[in-house]
Amino acid sequence: MTIYMAIATVSYLGMVLGFAFRKQRKRHVPLMHFAIITDLTLVLVLEFQRSAIKTAVGLTLDWMQQTHVTVSTLAAVCYIPMLWMGWAILRGKSGPNTARRHKILGWVTFALRTLGFVFMFSMIERVQNL
């Protein structure tokens, strides 16, 4: 396991805990902020240190590695509306369906992030060959 995978694992565990405490706002919010910020920071670090985007579009990944990249990217894209809706709910300025949409998108985002985490381990061989 690389340091990047270890950081991703800690981030994922933060998300699992945040998801488990989704009905306890005082625990849910900081855990999810930690997980999302850590994930997005890790993506930026991988881009600057490893040219992750170039690798992802370079057609050199096998199907499991490409699945990791695809579902992880989709999860990261989902973070933006998740944060926006969550902040609106926290401020009390959300619409009548915001909490329901946040919940549904939360399940989708968590499923994508879980798949990304599982398929992350397909990258071990690639990283060891660098």
Side-chain angles (χ1 to χ4, degrees):
M1 181 181 289
T2 68
I3 185 68
Y4 304 114
M5 289 178 175
I7 293 168
T9 299
V10 170
S11 173
Y12 181 70
L13 290 175
M15 185 169 282
V16 168
L17 288 172
F19 198 77
F21 289 117
R22 64 190 174 276
K23 295 182 190 244
Q24 297 174 30
R25 192 174 284 183
K26 288 186 181 213
R27 290 184 177 174
H28 173 75
V29 172
L31 285 164
M32 293 311 254
H33 279 145
F34 166 78
I36 291 170
I37 290 167
T38 304
D39 261 1
L40 294 176
T41 300
L42 186 56
V43 169
L44 290 174
V45 167
L46 288 170
E47 172 54 26
F48 288 117
Q49 291 186 354
R50 301 262 174 113
S51 301
I53 295 171
K54 181 180 174 185
T55 301
V57 298
L59 302 176
T60 60
L61 302 175
D62 67 29
W63 73 270
M64 289 194 305
Q65 295 166 337
Q66 195 60 52
T67 300
H68 163 69
V69 170
T70 301
V71 297
S72 295
T73 300
L74 289 171
V77 168
C78 288
Y79 289 160
I80 297 164
M82 286 300 301
L83 287 169
W84 180 82
M85 286 187 280
W87 292 333
I89 293 166
L90 284 174
R91 290 190 316 267
K93 298 186 178 189
S94 60
N97 294 319
T98 304
R100 184 176 61 81
R101 289 179 182 149
H102 182 74
K103 181 179 179 178
I104 292 167
L105 187 57
W107 279 100
V108 170
T109 304
F110 184 69
L112 290 168
R113 183 65 186 91
T114 298
L115 284 172
F117 179 74
V118 169
F119 281 99
M120 170 185 77
F121 295 99
S122 69
M123 302 297 274
I124 290 175
E125 181 182 314
R126 179 173 189 80
V127 172
Q128 290 174 343
N129 292 332
L130 289 178

